[in-house]
Amino acid sequence: MSKTVNDLVSHITELSNEDFNSLFSKLLDMQGVLGHLDKITPEERIKTLSRLELFAERSSKSFNYDPARPKDFLPKLSRLDVVDCYFTGMGFEWDEKHKAIIWDIYPQFDSVMVIPTTSKERVESKGVFNVGKIQGLNGLNTTLLVGDMTRVSRKRIEVIPPYNHPKNGPQAVKLNKAWEGRILNAIVSLYANTLTLEDVLRYRTGVAMPDKLDAIKSKRFNAIQYKYDEGSCTLNYWGWNKHEQEGETLTLIQPKVSISKFEKQRIIEDICSKLEPVRIQAEARYFNWYHGGKA
């Protein structure tokens, strides 16, 4: 340690006044950061310094602009493009470089709205869903984390090189446009205080259940507007961006046995389970409770 200190002193004394003042000024600028680093464990300090280095590296990047339209950023990006994004969060699963989907982007804005993704299997919910394999990626299934969407600087984004389509040649790596509606439903239900069909069936219809399970399985995460008539046990519902006249009607039925709302909510959850034995048992309970055992 004494040798290290002596070497440091020796190097400092060799500096010119101008270099010394410059070094001293930089150390003063870092004083606040160094104070916080002193408060954490050596392991956390290493991780934090790594994040700071990555953040500084991204910040030092220069912007590129379109020569024909000097206010427009390059490279050109569009909705549903898949990119590499340096999130540099604090302990998130997608810390550092991670795949993301471009959602909102304007040519003249630095800030870009992106949806983080993961290749890890997750339980499906309003804002978490598997979109399968995306052409041009690593061949793994991709799960979107809409609930974690965020804005980042273009400096944190790297374009993924095009892939060579066997028939159409070089193609941008993009999420299929067919998923756009599912993303919109997730955004509306998560951020606009709009219920999904599953929410309504779970919490707004007592212990009544649809007389058929098709809607629960296929439309559970649709963000909807609705009217429920308890007397006739009918649920009229329509999309969050539709008119009532464009809606559909679900006929609901009351159970033939006494059950609680909790038991009804659990049966909806189990009917949608990824585990086949759980689904089979849930459907058996449903038919016993609501149809007297008749499938």
Side-chain angles (χ1 to χ4, degrees), residues 145-256:
L145 308 173
V146 181
D148 298 313
M149 66 190 304
T150 186
R151 301 200 77 88
V152 298
S153 167
R154 288 173 185 263
K155 290 185 176 185
R156 292 176 178 240
I157 289 174
E158 286 184 357
V159 176
I160 296 175
Y163 71 98
N164 192 35
H165 190 278
K167 292 184 179 179
N168 303 324
Q171 300 289 311
V173 181
K174 293 182 74 78
L175 178 65
N176 192 299
K177 189 174 176 62
W179 288 104
E180 196 170 55
R182 178 69 173 87
I183 294 172
L184 282 168
N185 273 290
I187 291 171
V188 171
S189 61
L190 289 168
Y191 302 112
N193 198 31
T194 302
L195 298 178
T196 64
L197 177 60
E198 180 176 322
D199 290 332
V200 173
L201 291 173
R202 273 179 182 253
Y203 308 114
R204 301 297 174 86
T205 61
V207 293
M209 280 278 283
D211 64 345
K212 297 179 182 178
L213 298 178
D214 297 351
I216 293 178
K217 294 180 179 180
S218 62
K219 301 178 181 179
R220 58 188 292 218
F221 294 125
N222 287 11
I224 63 167
Q225 303 177 70
Y226 74 98
K227 289 182 178 178
Y228 176 53
D229 187 327
E230 190 172 357
S232 62
C233 219
T234 55
L235 175 67
N236 297 310
Y237 68 98
W238 55 99
W240 62 273
N241 57 346
K242 303 290 185 182
H243 297 290
E244 184 175 353
Q245 293 76 13
E246 302 175 79
E248 301 179 54
T249 300
L250 268 183
T251 301
L252 274 60
I253 54 177
Q254 297 292 340
K256 297 182 180 298

Side-chain angles (χ1 to χ4, degrees), residues 55-67:
F55 183 80
E57 186 267 328
R58 290 285 113 188
S59 296
S60 67
K61 284 175 63 73
S62 299
F63 288 121
N64 293 319
Y65 296 92
D66 187 344

Side-chain angles (χ1 to χ4, degrees), residues 209 213 217 253 255-257 259 263 266-273 275-295:
M209 280 278 283
L213 298 178
K217 294 180 179 180
I253 54 177
K256 297 182 180 298
V257 297
I259 65 169
E263 288 173 306
R266 180 59 186 271
I267 207 171
I268 291 177
E269 180 180 336
D270 289 349
I271 283 169
C272 300
S273 172
L275 302 175
E276 187 176 6
V278 174
R279 290 199 307 272
I280 291 172
Q281 291 180 13
E283 291 187 18
R285 292 200 307 276
Y286 164 79
F287 285 113
N288 281 331
W289 293 352
Y290 288 88
H291 290 281
K294 297 177 181 179

